Amino acid sequence: TLRALQSAVDLSLLIVVDDGSRDATAEIARTIGAEVFPASPPGKAGGKGHAIRRGLLRARAHDPDAVLLADADLGGSAARLVDLLAILGEHHPVAVAAFPSPAPKGGFGLVKNYARRAIARRTGYAPAEPLSGQRALLAYALEALPGIAPGFGAEVGMTLDLLLAGIKPLELQLPLTHRPTGRNLPGFAHRARQGLDVARALGGTRVPW
């Protein structure tokens, strides 16, 4: 993922948020040339929202024109995220990647559909990928966010807050690949946690900047 980003995207700074890893994540990332930001002690992950918030705070300290968020499991397909940055501008301050259709099979889409319908009821807009972690934001769109929702509700909270601020994300279908959770016990447990976090995000829970 890091090598793909380096080869395709003109980034002034590549930040890897290390949320409590106990493997060689930090060492490998530094070898590739990324700045590693330790968000949590080893073995004590704070969750996705915590990692995103800490990473964005670090990025904001550099006064960026734009930020690009990318999950770690995209592999070589991360190179296509350059398209999100390329489309940013006055009329599209936020771009979100949608996976190709049919998307890689994981769960049954219950959490995604729940988030989509809830956002549509609040804003009139039903995003195709409310859970997508691949998104690019101009600086002023980032500043419109009051904070980040905790856990796996981070992206849903971000989308809802942007829409309520009058900023409609542009969704762009890209040929991305990732490792979806399976239809097994660990996968169902993951989606249960995800569903609870999404409900909290929809209810307005945010960790402020």
Side-chain angles (χ1 to χ4, degrees):
T1 300
L2 292 175
R3 290 192 178 98
L5 288 171
Q6 283 183 323
S7 67
V9 184
D10 183 17
L11 299 174
S12 60
L13 181 63
L14 189 59
I15 300 173
V16 172
V17 182
D18 186 354
D19 191 26
S21 72
R22 292 180 290 187
D23 54 17
T25 292
E27 179 184 348
I28 293 171
R30 290 192 185 99
T31 299
I32 294 174
E35 174 186 324
V36 178
F37 184 79
S40 303
K44 297 182 179 180
K48 188 170 188 182
H50 169 74
I52 290 174
R53 177 179 172 275
R54 297 296 301 275
L56 286 175
L57 283 170
R58 179 63 180 166
R60 289 172 68 189
H62 293 273
D63 194 25
D65 296 323
V67 295
L68 174 68
L69 298 175
D71 290 340
D73 62 349
L74 298 176
S77 71
R80 292 306 305 269
L81 295 182
V82 67
D83 295 351
L84 295 184
L85 290 171
I87 209 167
L88 291 180
E90 179 182 357
H91 300 294
H92 302 301
V94 179
V96 177
F99 281 87
S101 183
K105 295 300 181 182
F108 297 97
L110 298 178
V111 177
K112 180 189 293 187
N113 290 331
Y114 163 59
R116 180 185 296 124
R117 290 194 295 267
I119 291 173
R121 285 195 298 269
R122 293 280 301 276
T123 68
Y125 173 70
E129 290 286 353
L131 308 179
S132 175
Q134 318 344 300
R135 47 188 65 205
L137 303 89
L138 289 178
Y140 82 85
L142 180 60
E143 295 301 324
L145 298 175
I148 300 296
F152 294 109
E155 292 89 359
V156 169
M158 192 180 298
T159 296
L160 181 59
D161 291 340
L162 288 168
L163 288 168
L164 293 176
I167 300 173
K168 182 179 178 181
L170 174 68
E171 294 187 303
L172 184 66
Q173 189 173 107
L174 297 175
L176 301 175
T177 59
H178 72 133
R179 296 193 304 268
T181 54
R183 294 178 179 178
N184 48 34
L185 187 57
F188 293 135
H190 165 77
R191 282 183 285 277
R193 292 192 300 270
Q194 187 181 43
L196 290 173
D197 288 345
V198 166
R200 294 168 65 196
L202 292 169
T205 301
R206 302 289 184 273
V207 179
W209 299 115

